[in-house]
Amino acid sequence: MCLSRKVLILTFIVLLPAVVAAKKRFGDRIVICGDDIVQILDQSEGWTPTPNVVWQWSFRENGSDLPAEYGHRLRTFDDCKPVDHGRRILATSSSDATLLIDIKTRRVLFYAYPPMAHSVEMLPGGRIVVALSTHRDGNRLEVYDADCSEKPLFADSLYSAHGVVWNAKRRILYALGYDELRAYELKDWKTDKPKLACRQVWKLPSIGGHDLTPIGKDSLAVTVHEGPFVFDMNTGEFHPFAPLANRPHVKSLNYDPRSGRTVFTIAEESWWTHNIYSLSPDHTIGVGDMKLYKVRCF
């Protein structure tokens, strides 16, 4: 028996609020990392004072498919990015490691040991770029193939490299260093000797480039010692990020221009914090004793 068109329309109207309510909002599902742990939180029922942990990865619990020395290298996670439409997580540790983790199985799909790894990004063709901060063997960018662990294919020097973001619209990799932001093009990318070619450099508004995240397709959020800025890719100009203007030591910053929501962490004890912060709406989540470094939104 077929339903009439009128019944179908009424059914859709009744079900519409449930469909809308089920849609995730920016900041509802986030990845956090600190100490030797990466976690996923689901706050879609509301931001509560304590986190709703729905997924966790640590070497102690899930590192059986890694060489034993990675237990030491994964003591201090410092970045954790959802990639592949939220099916995987790229994570870096400042105690010298980078991982690609499958969320469903918790299997490690790629691993490497770039010294003082501080950020990471997935590039076209299954390539991975890692930003290496201040270390005798660091201060550079390294490119890997996700199918070949521990074997860098290319490197370029960048002092205190802290952030990397791929912009698919422009096919440009943006990389953040101590006092500059760089734009790289991909060269010889379909060969076994890929290269990053630096095409433009901008001086930062202040020293201490720390976090780099996309804001839509034409802007980047950039944090430095003095506070966060917005970088306009079209004009090459930096403007203060109004919601956190002049707020120093922001360690991670996520901003959604559609909703106006900001999710961030800020160094409150040395380089870490025990809190996740949200603006518009304003909320705080405490993470207990974890020395939290960065938070990323799905």
Side-chain angles (χ1 to χ4, degrees):
M1 181 175 68
C2 297
L3 292 174
S4 69
R5 184 178 178 185
K6 184 175 182 180
V7 171
L8 285 171
I9 293 173
L10 289 173
T11 303
F12 177 76
I13 293 172
V14 170
L15 293 177
L16 182 60
V19 173
V20 173
K23 186 177 181 181
K24 297 288 186 182
R25 297 161 298 179
F26 183 85
D28 281 350
R29 196 161 180 255
I30 57 182
V31 188
I32 69 172
C33 53
D35 293 334
D36 60 346
I37 297 172
V38 180
Q39 293 179 334
I40 296 176
L41 312 184
D42 189 338
Q43 306 299 143
S44 55
E45 297 299 319
W47 274 47
T48 54
T50 55
N52 179 29
V53 180
V54 296
W55 183 94
Q56 178 170 300
W57 193 97
S58 71
F59 179 84
R60 290 169 294 166
E61 299 172 340
N62 315 105
S64 60
D65 50 353
L66 283 170
E69 63 266 23
Y70 277 79
H72 177 75
R73 297 184 186 279
L74 294 168
R75 293 176 292 111
T76 50
F77 278 110
D78 55 18
D79 202 357
C80 43
K81 292 183 176 180
V83 296
D84 190 21
H85 304 288
R87 290 190 287 264
R88 300 173 180 177
I89 291 176
L90 275 171
T92 55
S93 166
S94 59
S95 41
D96 310 343
T98 297
L99 304 179
L100 176 62
I101 306 168
D102 182 83
I103 292 176
K104 184 177 180 179
T105 65
R106 290 180 171 81
R107 287 187 55 235
V108 176
L109 307 175
F110 165 87
Y111 54 90
Y113 49 89
M116 194 60 81
H118 256 65
S119 190
V120 62
E121 182 74 304
M122 187 66 75
L123 296 177
R127 300 273 164 74
I128 293 171
V129 60
V130 186
L132 287 62
S133 185
T134 50
H135 185 281
R136 180 186 60 189
D137 299 317
N139 295 308
R140 59 183 179 176
L141 305 176
E142 287 186 349
V143 174
Y144 295 82
D145 192 305
D147 292 330
C148 193
S149 293
E150 298 188 331
K151 294 183 179 180
L153 303 175
F154 174 83
D156 188 38
S157 61
L158 176 59
Y159 180 69
S160 190
H162 261 71
V164 276
V165 168
W166 170 250
N167 184 278
K169 175 183 175 181
R170 289 172 167 77
R171 293 192 62 80
I172 290 290
L173 173 70
Y174 291 89
L176 182 67
Y178 180 72
D179 60 359
E180 65 183 14
L181 177 68
R182 294 182 184 178
Y184 285 91
E185 288 181 353
L186 310 183
K187 292 294 182 182
D188 303 326
W189 208 248
K190 295 183 179 180
T191 73
D192 58 358
K193 294 183 179 180
K195 301 178 181 65
L196 297 175
C198 185
R199 288 293 175 252
Q200 198 164 357
V201 179
W202 299 270
K203 294 296 288 185
L204 298 179
S206 174
I207 59 173
H210 191 84
D211 196 38
L212 187 69
T213 50
I215 302 177
K217 297 180 180 179
D218 295 302
S219 301
L220 295 167
V222 181
T223 71
V224 294
H225 284 342
E226 292 182 0
F229 287 79
V230 175
F231 174 74
D232 188 322
M233 297 176 185
N234 294 318
T235 65
E237 297 176 341
F238 294 89
H239 303 282
F241 178 69
L244 291 171
N246 302 316
R247 187 78 178 267
H249 308 305
V250 174
K251 293 297 183 181
S252 64
L253 175 61
N254 307 266
Y255 174 68
D256 178 31
R258 291 169 296 182
S259 65
R261 188 171 202 173
T262 303
V263 179
F264 67 103
T265 56
I266 189 165
E268 294 170 312
E269 298 181 40
S270 184
W271 46 265
W272 68 85
T273 179
H274 299 304
N275 298 296
I276 306 164
Y277 295 104
S278 167
L279 299 177
S280 299
D282 296 358
H283 294 290
T284 301
I285 297 176
V287 295
D289 295 332
M290 178 192 287
K291 291 181 179 179
L292 179 65
Y293 200 65
K294 287 186 180 179
V295 55
R296 300 295 184 206
C297 297
F298 278 80

